[in-house]
Amino acid sequence: MEPRGYRMVVSTELDYVKACGIAERHLLEWLRSKNYDPSVLDEGRTEIAPHATLDRDSEGGRKGAYSRWRMRETYSAASGTWQSTLIVRSGLAEDKGRTWVQVDVEHHPAHEGQFPTRANTPNIVRSLLDALEARDAHADVTTAPVFVEANDVDDTIEELCDSNRRMPVVIATVPYGKDPDEWSRTVVEPLFRNLHGLAVLYVLTSEAQSKFNAALEFHPVFGGGVRTYLPGLDPAWKPDAQRHPVMSRRTIEASPRRAASILTALPQRLSSRQPLPPALLSIPRQRTRPRLAPDSADVVRLRTDMAAVTALLDEAERAESIRVDEINGLYTELAKAEQASDQLRGENEELYDKVQESQRIIRFLRERLQEAGEFAAAHALAVPTEIDYPKTFSDLLDRLDELPGISFTGNAKITRTLDSQSVDNWLHVAWDGLLALNHFARSSADGAASGDFLSWCKSDASSAFPFPTAKVAMRESDTVARKTKLRNERMLPVPKEVDPNSQVFMQAHLKIGGGNTIAPRLHFYDDCLHSGKVYVGYLGPHLRNTLT
């Protein structure tokens, strides 16, 4: 299940005392804005409203100091509890004088089995970021996106490549002919509204854009699009581009609210799964006791009861501490596994090109052997030339007449938008897929192929134009097939002679790319038994499914 809580972890160059004072002042303002009574915020638990309590604990010593405030709000028995935690922690020796600030917001459902409500950015975060001059490694964490001028590009790239970076860097671009200030105010700022405290936010000016893309040739962003650069960027390794999602201008303008939600999901997931810095991990679990009234007649009895409760809490805290350590260990292992997965995916992209080249050589040698009848002929002839791939997706559309077994019925405008978003070998994979489909259509029309396209890809008959079976899906999930909105997106055009309604449910598709919010797909319909053609009804960004 995707994390639904909010977590911000930033540092500041302010010392602990100053940072703590600023945090408490903004906490009081936040509580007043919610019509709570923050007049008494001593150690222990304070009831600040009939439905809200505030717990505070702090400690100072040789291991450093911290202050923690935890607010729990239960509006009704059925609403569950919202828990908001603010921590200010002095850094360890290796933190070089930095002070850490952590904000967590999470929803605890009222009943077991209920789904927690997703937490958005709390208002206190927006006020804290600017007041604390918050940072992530060398980058400023702000509430408004910062413009990157041409002179700032080198510093920005240095920030992107910083190995100590914890947060994603989200970079927006300004379309040609648009006023940068107007675009930032009307498009970028609403798009980034839920990213405060989760990411470093930038807008590239048009002058900076060309310099930036020249320096990061494998990781470009342009055309009014937005790209999320995850920690661990390797600018010199082309397959690494798969890790850093691109969002097109078309996606943004089609539904700004949905685009903002999609853009927030990855940084929110990363913040929840990222291991905490050692300074924050060393803070003990919170154990707050209600304050006793000094004039109570039952003070002695309450103290006895409290001692018993405290013993139970100590035992529970130890058990909880073990569980927390286990969870943090799992998060660390998960981070390593995701890193290994990303590397393997990149290596797979590199191997894809090598396998395709090897298959072409095998095909060439096999044909020559058949012609010559002897193996020596294979060594006497030159290696075949490479496939002449299209240079752009627009070029791909223009060259479809080279493939008589393919009929493109999709929206060419959508396909052309891939030219402003394409990364890695998407264009090569798309053309390889079309070559394979064309050869399949010709083989089917000649009666040389039996079964569907996936079966053909698994057979020796596909050796002339091979296509990886892992990139072929002949059907959608049952949920997509049943859900009307999702199914309708896959009702794609065909000629009337193929279907009287001029459209069919094209669930068969090729996975052109992955690891990206675009993740292009090519949807097709096999009508080889009747018209001798494969109809391609869509080539563009991944259509919506249960995960998007």
Side-chain angles (χ1 to χ4, degrees):
M1 185 175 68
E2 288 295 311
R4 302 184 71 81
Y6 173 92
R7 167 170 286 177
M8 177 189 77
V9 175
V10 295
S11 64
T12 174
E13 294 182 358
L14 299 175
D15 62 42
Y16 168 75
V17 175
K18 289 182 180 178
C20 202
I22 290 173
E24 185 165 24
R25 184 171 70 251
H26 285 275
L27 175 64
L28 292 172
E29 293 174 359
W30 186 47
L31 294 177
R32 291 191 186 101
S33 72
K34 298 168 75 71
N35 296 319
Y36 293 161
D37 177 17
S39 57
V40 181
L41 293 182
D42 296 330
E43 294 285 319
R45 175 165 295 173
T46 303
E47 186 174 310
I48 56 177
H51 63 276
T53 60
L54 184 71
D55 298 331
R56 179 180 180 176
D57 65 321
S58 60
E59 187 177 292
R62 290 181 300 173
K63 295 184 178 181
Y66 74 85
S67 290
R68 173 169 46 195
W69 298 265
R70 183 181 67 189
M71 180 171 66
R72 293 174 61 84
E73 302 168 282
T74 306
Y75 298 99
S76 69
S79 67
T81 299
W82 282 98
Q83 179 171 292
S84 307
T85 306
L86 168 62
I87 300 173
V88 180
R89 172 73 160 105
S90 60
L92 303 178
E94 59 266 29
D95 293 321
K96 300 178 181 178
R98 285 182 295 175
T99 301
W100 292 97
V101 179
Q102 177 181 346
V103 174
D104 285 289
V105 180
E106 54 189 337
H107 178 247
H108 300 160
H111 305 291
E112 187 175 351
Q114 282 186 324
F115 204 50
T117 303
R118 183 183 293 276
N120 291 323
T121 305
N123 289 331
I124 189 174
V125 162
R126 297 182 173 90
S127 62
L128 280 175
L129 286 176
D130 294 330
L132 292 169
E133 299 179 1
R135 300 178 70 83
D136 175 51
H138 296 297
D140 294 326
V141 184
T142 60
T143 55
V146 176
F147 277 101
V148 177
E149 305 288 348
N151 293 335
D152 303 322
V153 168
D154 291 341
D155 291 337
T156 302
I157 293 175
E158 187 175 342
E159 290 176 7
L160 287 172
C161 298
D162 189 345
S163 60
N164 294 318
R165 178 162 67 94
R166 292 173 49 85
M167 286 184 177
V169 176
V170 182
I171 298 182
T173 57
V174 181
Y176 178 76
K178 293 288 186 179
D179 178 71
D181 292 323
E182 176 73 9
W183 182 261
S184 179
R185 181 177 58 82
T186 59
V187 177
V188 178
E189 290 183 18
L191 188 66
F192 287 178
R193 67 180 182 274
N194 289 325
L195 287 173
H196 301 156
L198 297 175
V200 177
L201 310 175
Y202 289 133
V203 178
L204 282 176
T205 63
S206 56
E207 295 79 9
Q209 189 178 134
S210 56
K211 184 178 178 181
F212 180 88
N213 289 336
L216 292 179
E217 59 175 327
F218 300 139
H219 304 72
V221 56
F222 43 80
V226 175
R227 190 158 198 170
T228 302
Y229 294 90
L230 298 182
L233 175 75
D234 186 347
W237 192 37
K238 184 178 178 181
D240 178 64
Q242 286 279 8
R243 290 199 311 119
H244 311 281
V246 179
M247 178 174 285
S248 69
R249 177 184 177 184
R250 173 178 168 271
T251 299
I252 295 168
E253 293 183 330
S255 176
R257 183 177 294 275
R258 179 171 177 266
S261 177
I262 293 172
L263 196 63
T264 305
L266 181 57
Q268 188 166 5
R269 181 168 72 246
L270 183 65
S271 70
S272 299
R273 292 181 176 178
Q274 185 90 298
L276 290 170
L280 291 169
L281 272 178
S282 64
I283 298 176
R285 304 306 109 194
Q286 189 165 33
R287 185 183 63 192
T288 305
R289 301 184 180 94
R291 293 194 299 275
L292 297 175
D295 57 348
S296 172
D298 297 324
V299 168
V300 175
R301 179 179 60 80
L302 288 173
R303 282 177 177 166
T304 302
D305 293 342
M306 183 64 74
V309 171
T310 301
L312 292 173
L313 286 172
D314 286 338
E315 182 179 346
E317 183 180 6
R318 286 192 293 272
E320 182 187 6
S321 180
I322 293 172
R323 299 287 87 78
V324 169
D325 289 341
E326 290 176 350
I327 291 171
N328 281 310
L330 290 172
Y331 278 154
T332 302
E333 291 180 16
L334 177 62
K336 292 179 180 178
E338 288 180 338
Q339 184 178 7
S341 174
D342 291 331
Q343 184 160 349
L344 287 172
R345 183 164 60 237
E347 291 173 357
N348 178 63
E349 296 295 340
E350 291 181 326
L351 289 172
Y352 174 85
D353 293 332
K354 294 179 181 179
V355 168
Q356 292 298 96
E357 181 183 2
S358 299
Q359 292 283 2
R360 289 194 295 272
I361 293 175
I362 291 171
R363 182 178 73 249
F364 173 82
L365 294 175
R366 182 175 294 162
E367 291 173 353
R368 291 300 180 272
L369 284 170
Q370 290 175 351
E371 293 174 1
E374 56 180 300
F375 184 77
H379 300 280
L381 298 171
V383 175
T385 58
E386 298 250 345
I387 288 178
D388 181 20
Y389 286 103
K391 303 299 185 294
T392 63
F393 279 95
S394 296
D395 185 25
L396 178 148
L397 293 174
D398 293 339
R399 291 180 54 186
L400 285 177
D401 57 358
E402 300 176 17
L403 310 176
I406 300 295
S407 179
F408 182 78
T409 60
N411 188 328
K413 185 177 180 180
I414 292 176
T415 303
R416 291 190 182 100
T417 63
L418 292 175
D419 285 328
S420 64
Q421 309 163 52
S422 182
V423 298
D424 295 322
N425 59 353
W426 291 357
L427 190 59
H428 286 199
V429 175
W431 189 247
D432 285 338
L434 288 168
L435 289 175
L437 285 169
N438 179 64
H439 190 63
F440 166 72
R442 293 170 58 188
S443 298
S444 295
D446 295 339
S450 60
D452 59 19
F453 180 64
L454 180 59
S455 300
W456 183 81
C457 287
K458 294 177 180 179
S459 69
D460 292 337
S462 67
S463 60
F465 293 95
F467 193 77
T469 57
K471 288 183 174 291
V472 181
M474 295 306 298
R475 57 173 296 168
E476 295 281 9
S477 68
D478 291 340
T479 304
V480 169
R482 289 196 306 266
K483 204 164 186 177
T484 304
K485 287 185 178 180
L486 302 181
R487 183 183 176 92
N488 285 344
E489 285 195 5
R490 292 155 176 83
M491 296 297 297
L492 297 168
V494 292
K496 278 194 174 183
E497 54 268 26
V498 175
D499 189 279
N501 295 319
S502 296
Q503 60 177 8
V504 294
F505 179 39
M506 287 194 193
Q507 54 180 333
H509 60 274
L510 307 183
K511 303 170 186 177
I512 304 303
N516 197 295
T517 55
I518 299 169
R521 296 294 186 262
L522 184 154
H523 286 256
F524 66 91
Y525 179 72
D526 175 8
D527 192 51
C528 295
L529 293 179
H530 300 97
S531 62
K533 288 183 177 289
V534 170
Y535 291 90
V536 175
Y538 181 85
L539 174 54
H542 199 308
L543 297 172
R544 283 187 298 172
N545 59 20
T546 55
L547 301 177
T548 59

